[in-house]
Amino acid sequence: MAEITLKSLAHTYSAAPRCDADYAIREMDHVWHQGGAYALLGPSGCGKSTLLNIISGLLEPSSGEVLFDGEVVNALPPEERNIAQVFQFPVIYDTMTVYDNLAFPLRNVKTPEARVHERVMEVADVLELTAQLKRKAKNLTADEKQKVSMGRGLVRDDVSAILFDEPLTVIDPQLKWKLRRKLKEIHQRFAITMVYVTHDQLEASTFADKIAVMYEGQVVQFGTPRELFETPNHTFVGYFIGSPGMNFLDVEARDGSVWAGDTRLEVGRGVHATILRADSSNVRLGIRPDFIEVHDEPLEGSMEARVEHAQDLGTYSIVYLSLGGVSLKARIEEDQKTPLETAWLRFPDERLGVYVDEYRVEIDHE
């Protein structure tokens, strides 16, 4: 196992980079602690796979250092880093049996056959592959092949870390939940440092203890699934995490109040003071649909909104609202009556986030 540190790391495919947009990975410092289960989450093209390939040694960074347990490994080839990488598509030998596929990494480093058998049987048991050990890999289903590919990474007990690059992409949806759970069990059993790359927030939240959210070549937040949901540090995290994503309102403080366009918002003094001191014209107020209070009659501190329509999703509904021309979404539970034409909204101060130049700032609490 290893602690993986990225120090002043950056990478570009451009011969003469001139700005941030020329970098696939913008300069970053980051640590994956030993034995942790991490996810690297973000949309296609944000730099996830590039970063994973730099860690594994398949790609040399333009600048900065990769350290394993404090030792710089930039010059080490992949085979000397003791890293196992599982890709989107299974990397196995179709003409070999499942047993021989799992045994191959151990035999390749001259492991005694008794130890090979012991490890293969242990990993096969964990991955529920024991019944397939004598079968040729070419006769397996897609999810079985991917489990064999994962097993090839797990079978060596000297592996420093396992890197998963969207390993469930080719798996049928009904099987994904089972394999996600299996990966979690594997991590708990072997305590290997694992980094799981995905664009799927559900996969990331199911697998990882902590998630690094990437956007435009940089990690914009690193935290638990709950932290990403409740206190997103960047507007992109708010958009990307949650279904639907966070509501953002362009706001300004004037005439003693907070305004979204021509709509006066009911917010506390701390939120008002924070917006007032912002030294930027790019100021947004963020609130999750889950945290908006929706009422069918006016209450103290509520704001009148027009109900555009509601989407019934069974155990809850998403209500589409217009607050003085500002579009919002709110989530209400199945036991709550959905307002038909007019709703009154309240924004709990403790659930609001103020974002200046896309990043969350601390609210002034009086």
Side-chain angles (χ1 to χ4, degrees):
M1 295 179 289
E3 178 177 273
I4 301 170
T5 303
L6 311 178
K7 186 176 180 182
S8 301
L9 189 78
H11 187 72
T12 180
Y13 295 101
S14 172
R18 298 181 179 180
C19 61
D20 286 344
D22 292 331
Y23 282 83
I25 301 294
R26 301 189 199 180
E27 186 171 316
M28 68 167 67
D29 295 282
H30 195 71
V31 178
W32 311 100
H33 293 289
Q34 179 174 305
Y38 301 105
L40 192 56
L41 176 66
S44 297
C46 72
K48 305 186 301 294
S49 294
T50 297
L51 185 57
L52 210 66
N53 289 337
I54 287 173
I55 293 171
S56 67
L58 295 174
L59 189 64
E60 184 176 350
S62 303
S63 61
E65 296 175 333
V66 180
L67 300 93
F68 287 5
D69 291 333
E71 297 293 327
V72 177
V73 297
N74 286 42
L76 290 183
E79 62 270 20
E80 294 183 26
R81 297 191 185 194
N82 287 332
I83 287 286
Q85 191 160 354
V86 179
F87 299 92
Q88 286 186 24
F89 301 97
V91 179
I92 59 177
Y93 298 105
D94 278 345
T95 58
M96 287 185 181
T97 63
V98 171
Y99 185 100
D100 288 336
N101 264 283
L102 294 176
F104 184 83
L106 295 173
R107 290 170 173 165
N108 202 39
V109 292
K110 312 300 183 186
T111 304
E113 198 61 30
R115 179 59 177 161
V116 170
H117 182 73
E118 181 183 343
R119 286 294 294 171
V120 168
M121 297 308 293
E122 182 180 8
V123 169
D125 178 62
V126 170
L127 290 170
E128 299 176 359
L129 287 170
T130 305
Q132 283 79 40
L133 285 175
K134 295 181 180 180
R135 293 178 63 190
K136 295 285 188 181
K138 65 182 178 182
N139 297 322
L140 301 177
T141 62
D143 65 299
E144 288 171 338
K145 288 182 177 181
Q146 192 62 297
K147 285 200 289 185
V148 173
S149 186
M150 292 175 187
R152 285 161 55 86
L154 289 166
V155 74
R156 286 176 55 191
D157 51 15
D158 63 341
V159 167
S160 299
I162 303 180
L163 312 179
F164 298 93
D165 194 354
E166 307 214 36
L168 303 184
T169 301
V170 299
I171 305 302
D172 290 338
Q174 64 267 28
L175 296 172
K176 284 187 177 184
W177 69 270
K178 187 175 182 180
L179 284 180
R180 284 198 301 264
R181 183 61 217 163
K182 184 58 64 178
L183 282 175
K184 190 70 172 178
E185 290 174 7
I186 288 167
H187 178 261
Q188 291 168 350
R189 180 165 176 174
F190 295 104
I192 300 171
T193 305
M194 292 185 175
V195 182
Y196 186 106
V197 166
T198 181
H199 62 272
D200 186 322
Q201 59 175 292
L202 179 60
E203 285 188 12
S205 299
T206 304
F207 170 76
D209 299 321
K210 282 195 170 185
I211 300 171
V213 181
M214 285 195 72
Y215 176 63
E216 294 185 343
Q218 58 186 331
V219 174
V220 290
Q221 188 168 0
F222 183 56
T224 65
R226 183 171 182 173
E227 289 168 345
L228 300 182
F229 184 81
E230 294 190 352
T231 54
N233 189 51
H234 189 278
T235 54
F236 173 75
V237 180
Y239 283 128
F240 198 67
I241 300 294
S243 181
M246 200 169 198
N247 295 294
F248 286 101
L249 299 83
D250 293 316
V251 295
E252 61 177 330
R254 67 172 190 270
D255 303 327
S257 298
V258 172
W259 298 80
D262 295 327
T263 302
R264 182 178 175 276
L265 304 180
E266 294 286 347
V267 297
R269 287 182 294 180
V271 173
H272 180 202
T274 304
I275 294 170
L276 189 62
R277 68 174 168 82
D279 187 21
S280 173
S281 59
N282 179 10
V283 183
R284 294 181 175 183
L285 198 63
I287 186 167
R288 291 278 181 200
D290 314 61
F291 300 148
I292 295 178
E293 294 181 11
V294 180
H295 303 276
D296 56 7
E297 58 183 26
L299 299 173
E300 182 181 355
S302 63
M303 299 166 284
E304 184 176 348
R306 185 174 72 252
V307 178
E308 301 286 355
H309 68 278
Q311 185 179 13
D312 187 351
L313 297 174
T315 57
Y316 64 94
S317 294
I318 300 298
V319 183
Y320 294 77
L321 304 150
S322 177
L323 179 64
V326 178
S327 295
L328 298 171
K329 298 182 184 74
R331 171 174 167 153
I332 61 174
E333 301 306 317
E334 61 179 336
D335 58 352
Q336 182 181 348
K337 180 181 177 183
T338 303
L340 296 177
E341 296 181 358
T342 304
W344 280 266
L345 314 180
R346 289 205 298 197
F347 297 167
D349 271 14
E350 68 275 13
R351 296 298 194 179
L352 286 170
V354 177
Y355 294 80
V356 178
D357 295 331
E358 310 307 327
Y359 281 91
R360 192 182 188 100
V361 298
E362 186 175 351
I363 292 177
D364 291 329
H365 294 290
E366 298 178 331

